[in-house]
Amino acid sequence: MEIVVCIKQVPETSKVRINPETNTLMREGVQSIINPFDMYAIEEAIRLKEAHGGKVTILTMGPPQAESALREALSLGADEACLVSDRAFAGSDTWVTAYTLAAAIRKLGPVDLILCGKQAIDGDTAQVGPSLADQLGIPFVAFVRRIRTVGSGELLVERMFEEGYEVVRLPLPGLITVVKEINEPRLPSLKGKMRAKKAEIIALGRGDLEVEDPFLGLDGSPTRVEKIFSPDLRRTGVKWQADAEEMAQNLVKGLKEQGII
Amino acid sequence: MAVVVIKEQCNGCEACLDSCPYDAIEMVDGVAWINEKCTICLACIEACPVEAIIQEESTVELPELDRGSYSGDWVFAEQRGGRISSVVHELLGAGRSLADTTGEKLSAVLLGHDMEAAARELVHRGADEVIYVDDEALAGFNDGPYASVLSDLIEEGRPSIVLAGATFMGRSFIPMVASRVNTGLTADCTALDIDPETGDLLQTRPAFGGNIMATIICPRHRPQMATVRHKVLPAFPNDPHRKGEVRIIRGLDKTRMDGRTEVLEVVEEILDTVNLAEADIIVSGGRGLGGPEGFKTVEELALLLGGAVGASRSAVDSGWIPYSHQVGQTGKTVQPKLYIACGISGAVQHLAGMQASDVIVAINKDADAPIFDVATYGLVGDLFQIIPQIIRSVKTARGQV
Ligand SMILES: Cc1cc2nc3c(=O)[nH]c(=O)nc-3n(C[C@H](O)[C@H](O)[C@H](O)COP(=O)(O)OP(=O)(O)OC[C@H]3O[C@@H](n4cnc5c(N)ncnc54)[C@H](O)[C@@H]3O)c2cc1C
Ligand SMILES: Nc1ncnc2c1ncn2[C@@H]1O[C@H](COP(=O)(O)O)[C@@H](O)[C@H]1O
């Protein structure tokens, strides 16, 4: 099975905090990591390969330093990695990201299954996967929590929804986006790390892809960030440090007055 | 288009360096310089105290949009098992005020089967018109047919705005619809407004795990599409006297119903899955509970208040409670009327999932825990003493003791 996993390098937001004085984002040496949801996509792809044979190619679009994310994925057991990078791609919204990734996938050759994370933790949109499927004209299932069976030319998967899950048949080639419940990602092996260090990365730029300029990067993006601001997280709340009974009574009184309980 | 520094204006204060989540700003000769890591997220523009960072305007000639040929606001009326989802009432509330601002018509689009009564009721909930596509193939959700039918309707009807719930269903197939009709889509919005000057839809949403808010526009494409977070915008009050038109479409071309994917079974797990997104009250527990038994106390309080049980990732990772209860960046995003955090430190990833709750109560023995920064009521002390007292007080207040 030819598998492509789309991953994104994101800032590890645990270290991003709001500066209370200036009310802006503070970055204390924020690390770049592979989007956590994409780790599950990588793991699932490697498991499929181990069970059914084939090849796993990791694909990312991003600035040159996204190469480190690709090497990390290689160290986990992926076979190939491809970096789609060009100034012309900067500032892409989800529509343009899907458009560009679709062109890269066509360039890479025939594929049976594409895996994406449920969403990236920087933009939190969850739109690239479904949109990519549409650009490639292939069926997809989002929010997959389990691959039940792998048949000839199809997968049986479980898709989450609010009240439970649905069993869906997905003909291949197809695309799935995965949630955290699907597996437990492995750690890289020493051998994997060595191999990843030396591996050749496929580099694709503007000139390598069949894309049209008006649909690229920030200019090509239908959506635009008009404004960005800090949410007002801090509340003018009260804080008590007293006898448990007294605090409990004050709380219940307050909640009753606000009509909440 | 790019983000650039006006060198003459930069005073070298370095405020932008800390604001950049991508490490894309360096100091060169005492002034800021934006390197190739920039993703044009615009965080630095806001951080700059002297307005030395700007977004350069595009030099590419872009086609003009014929705004006049699009009109009307549409709401996708999601249904499961023939029941309209409650988020639809909120979408109609939001859509109603947008439509009243622009003086346009508000339509609800319903895809389903045997739902005529429910279709009519959408008028009472704020719609001027209901477009109801009745087909057996649309009774249950399947991405392919839903995307085909909705994109066909959009291409024909040319609405100016299309809203859908940021539910599993909406976030599943709406990106496909947007891609098909070649327009932008803003995910998981928490506020919607009309720009009084341009008439564009201002779509505000959290990003970076709720650490920043962004207002997104879609200036050159129509329709302007957004998925909207549940339980954030007020619903339109039910008014059985409202009048409106119901258009029923039947006998659609079967080829549009070809989903390729096929839903074989729908399994409801009500018993062991808490619908945190729907709950008005959530009592959550973290590592401070000390073990799975700790959740008994939390459950008791939740039960008493008629709420659901949430958890931090630490509690989930320790195996004290299933993942379906996890609140936060890699769990669920919730916005109840009341969120009670017990023994949770308040890491940003947890806050990302609950900080928009109306009232937050924090119970933690560490007075400096960051959860207190977002709390409406902070109770510093041992949760094992405090929660039983809360339970007692609630019962007393209700005359149950
Ligand atoms: C990429 C990424 C994604 C993440 N996603 C999530 C997510 O979705 N959700 C999430 O929750 N976390 C998430 N995390 C983890 C997050 O960073 C924190 O580790 C986690 O939220 C901490 O959980 P906690 O508050 O329960 O535990 P701790 O941080 O250990 O806090 C326990 C608290 O309990 C208090 N306490 C202890 N005993 C008592 C007592 N008897 N009475 C009162 N108070 C007591 C302590 O003072 C302490 O403040 C994520 C992390 C990463 C890197
Ligand atoms: N620039 C990118 N390069 C490769 N894959 C991406 C990129 N952006 C998003 N993805 C994939 O799409 C998923 C959803 O991302 P998003 O729509 O941004 O939340 C991610 O989990 C990745 O699998």
Side-chain angles (χ1 to χ4, degrees):
Chain A
M1 189 154 31
E2 293 291 324
I3 305 174
V4 169
V5 185
C6 297
I7 71 168
K8 186 175 188 188
Q9 192 176 48
V10 296
E12 185 183 11
T13 38
S14 68
K15 309 251 173 58
V16 180
R17 298 193 123 245
I18 301 284
N19 178 335
E21 268 132 49
T22 58
N23 219 26
T24 53
L25 220 58
M26 287 201 307
R27 179 186 55 82
E28 288 156 22
V30 179
Q31 297 278 314
S32 286
I33 54 167
I34 295 180
N35 176 38
F37 290 105
D38 300 348
M39 294 300 280
Y40 301 95
I42 298 170
E43 175 65 31
E44 200 61 21
I46 295 171
R47 288 187 190 192
L48 285 171
K49 180 187 81 165
E50 284 167 353
H52 306 279
K55 192 177 86 197
V56 175
T57 305
I58 310 291
L59 173 65
T60 192
M61 174 172 101
Q65 78 266 19
E67 190 185 315
S68 61
L70 292 177
R71 294 210 185 270
E72 188 183 339
L74 286 169
S75 75
L76 295 164
D79 302 285
E80 282 187 354
C82 171
L83 175 62
V84 180
S85 191
D86 199 299
R87 268 283 190 187
F89 303 150
S92 300
D93 75 352
T94 57
W95 193 100
V96 172
T97 300
Y99 172 76
T100 314
L101 289 175
I105 288 171
R106 282 192 207 104
K107 176 91 187 178
L108 289 172
V111 51
D112 298 303
L113 180 65
I114 299 168
L115 287 118
C116 289
K118 168 185 112 161
Q119 70 191 57
I121 62 164
D122 53 354
D124 292 325
T125 82
Q127 290 176 180
V128 169
S131 185
L132 173 59
D134 184 61
Q135 298 272 357
L136 290 169
I138 59 174
F140 79 99
V141 183
F143 307 116
V144 170
R145 61 168 218 181
R146 196 179 147 210
I147 296 180
R148 273 202 181 173
T149 55
V150 180
S152 67
E154 67 173 42
L155 296 184
L156 229 53
V157 301
E158 290 180 10
R159 162 178 55 210
M160 303 234 301
F161 72 100
E162 282 78 5
E163 272 93 29
Y165 67 92
E166 292 168 334
V167 185
V168 186
R169 192 206 319 273
L170 173 74
L172 300 180
L175 180 148
I176 60 174
T177 78
V178 304
V179 299
K180 187 185 159 173
E181 279 171 319
I182 196 162
N183 59 40
E184 191 80 48
R186 72 192 66 192
L187 294 169
S189 65
L190 199 60
K191 211 172 107 212
K193 278 188 182 164
M194 304 277 285
R195 203 180 61 82
K197 226 189 235 164
K198 284 182 265 157
E200 191 94 31
I201 305 263
I202 307 165
L204 297 178
R206 164 71 189 85
D208 301 308
L209 301 182
E210 270 184 47
V211 285
E212 290 176 50
D213 285 328
F215 301 124
L216 294 182
L218 191 60
D219 287 333
S221 297
T223 61
R224 186 136 310 170
V225 178
E226 161 95 341
K227 183 171 84 173
I228 132 163
F229 57 100
S230 301
D232 195 8
L233 301 181
R234 282 162 190 269
R235 293 162 196 248
T236 42
V238 288
K239 185 151 110 187
W240 300 306
Q241 187 157 14
D243 170 58
E245 186 177 352
E246 187 188 321
M247 288 194 290
Q249 281 168 358
N250 287 340
L251 173 68
V252 173
K253 191 163 150 251
L255 292 178
K256 276 199 78 160
E257 278 166 10
Q258 286 183 273
I260 291 170
I261 58 171
Chain B
M1 195 138 60
V3 174
V4 291
V5 178
I6 310 172
K7 277 192 187 151
E8 301 71 41
Q9 214 146 312
C10 174
N11 64 2
C13 75
E14 303 192 2
C16 54
L17 295 197
D18 275 349
S19 76
C20 177
Y22 297 96
D23 206 8
I25 311 180
E26 297 163 35
M27 297 305 290
V28 176
D29 301 332
V31 295
W33 179 72
I34 298 179
N35 67 29
E36 62 191 6
K37 295 181 187 175
C38 175
T39 66
I40 321 187
C41 80
L42 309 187
C44 54
I45 294 186
E46 197 196 330
C48 178
V50 293
E51 294 179 11
I53 310 182
I54 57 159
Q55 186 178 3
E56 227 177 22
E57 275 312 310
S58 169
T59 49
V60 181
E61 280 291 323
L62 296 164
E64 268 302 303
L65 168 74
D66 176 18
R67 279 160 205 268
S69 74
Y70 295 86
S71 104
D73 299 350
W74 285 15
V75 160
F76 172 70
E78 169 174 337
Q79 56 93 5
R80 284 260 182 206
R83 264 206 342 268
I84 302 285
S85 306
S86 61
V87 68
V88 175
H89 303 148
E90 297 158 21
L91 295 173
L92 286 170
R96 189 68 264 162
S97 59
L98 296 175
D100 290 344
T101 307
T102 56
E104 290 175 28
K105 187 157 94 175
L106 176 65
S107 309
V109 180
L110 173 64
L111 311 186
H113 186 47
D114 270 343
M115 291 190 65
E116 222 174 299
R120 283 189 199 289
E121 214 186 288
L122 292 169
V123 171
H124 307 159
R125 293 291 189 159
D128 299 315
E129 174 199 48
V130 180
I131 304 168
Y132 166 40
V133 186
D134 181 8
D135 198 295
E136 223 178 324
L138 300 173
F141 171 62
N142 193 359
D143 295 276
Y146 269 56
S148 300
V149 172
L150 186 57
S151 11
D152 287 354
L153 289 172
I154 289 172
E155 268 163 5
E156 191 193 299
R158 296 171 79 82
S160 154
I161 293 174
V162 177
L163 307 177
T167 55
F168 279 94
M169 188 192 293
R171 294 188 82 171
S172 204
F173 90 104
I174 295 290
M176 194 166 211
V177 173
S179 169
R180 243 180 237 186
V181 302
N182 285 314
T183 193
L185 172 62
T186 308
D188 207 21
C189 296
T190 53
L192 297 168
D193 238 315
I194 299 288
D195 185 327
E197 272 161 41
T198 60
D200 283 342
L201 181 64
L202 300 171
Q203 310 161 78
T204 299
R205 64 181 303 265
F208 288 100
N211 281 301
I212 58 173
M213 302 296 290
T215 300
I216 314 280
I217 53 171
C218 179
R220 289 180 294 105
H221 296 71
R222 289 292 178 272
Q224 307 164 87
M225 294 183 64
T227 60
V228 180
R229 188 177 288 185
H230 199 2
K231 293 220 163 253
V232 181
L233 302 173
F236 188 84
N238 192 359
D239 173 5
H241 303 296
R242 267 186 63 89
K243 294 270 176 294
E245 179 197 346
V246 181
R247 245 175 75 200
I248 305 182
I249 302 175
R250 289 200 176 94
L252 273 195
D253 185 354
K254 286 287 171 219
T255 60
R256 304 308 284 159
M257 303 296 172
D258 175 20
R260 291 186 286 177
T261 55
E262 189 186 350
V263 179
L264 304 176
E265 196 187 342
V266 180
V267 184
E268 300 219 352
E269 296 179 308
I270 308 276
L271 287 181
D272 52 275
T273 307
V274 247
N275 195 344
L276 284 172
E278 295 274 346
D280 281 331
I281 295 179
I282 294 172
V283 188
S284 264
R287 196 179 349 239
L289 294 184
E293 320 76 49
F295 270 98
K296 295 229 172 70
T297 324
V298 164
E299 271 159 25
E300 190 184 342
L301 180 57
L303 195 69
L304 181 69
L305 299 176
V309 174
S312 76
R313 172 158 152 186
S314 293
V316 171
D317 285 352
S318 307
W320 300 344
I321 186 161
Y323 169 64
S324 52
H325 293 262
Q326 184 176 317
V327 171
Q329 193 179 78
T330 43
K332 297 204 163 97
T333 302
V334 298
Q335 193 154 13
K337 295 203 174 74
L338 173 62
Y339 189 92
I340 307 182
C342 312
I344 293 177
S345 61
V348 278
Q349 295 92 346
H350 189 79
L351 301 185
M354 47 63 77
Q355 62 204 3
S357 308
D358 290 353
V359 171
I360 295 172
V361 175
I363 307 171
N364 195 307
K365 62 183 183 192
D366 172 10
D368 296 323
I371 190 78
F372 288 119
D373 294 342
V374 300
T376 327
Y377 296 96
L379 282 68
V380 182
D382 186 352
L383 66 94
F384 293 104
Q385 289 173 18
I386 295 173
I387 297 178
Q389 288 295 344
I390 297 176
I391 292 172
R392 253 188 57 186
S393 293
V394 172
K395 284 185 176 162
T396 310
R398 289 187 186 158
Q400 289 172 344
V401 187

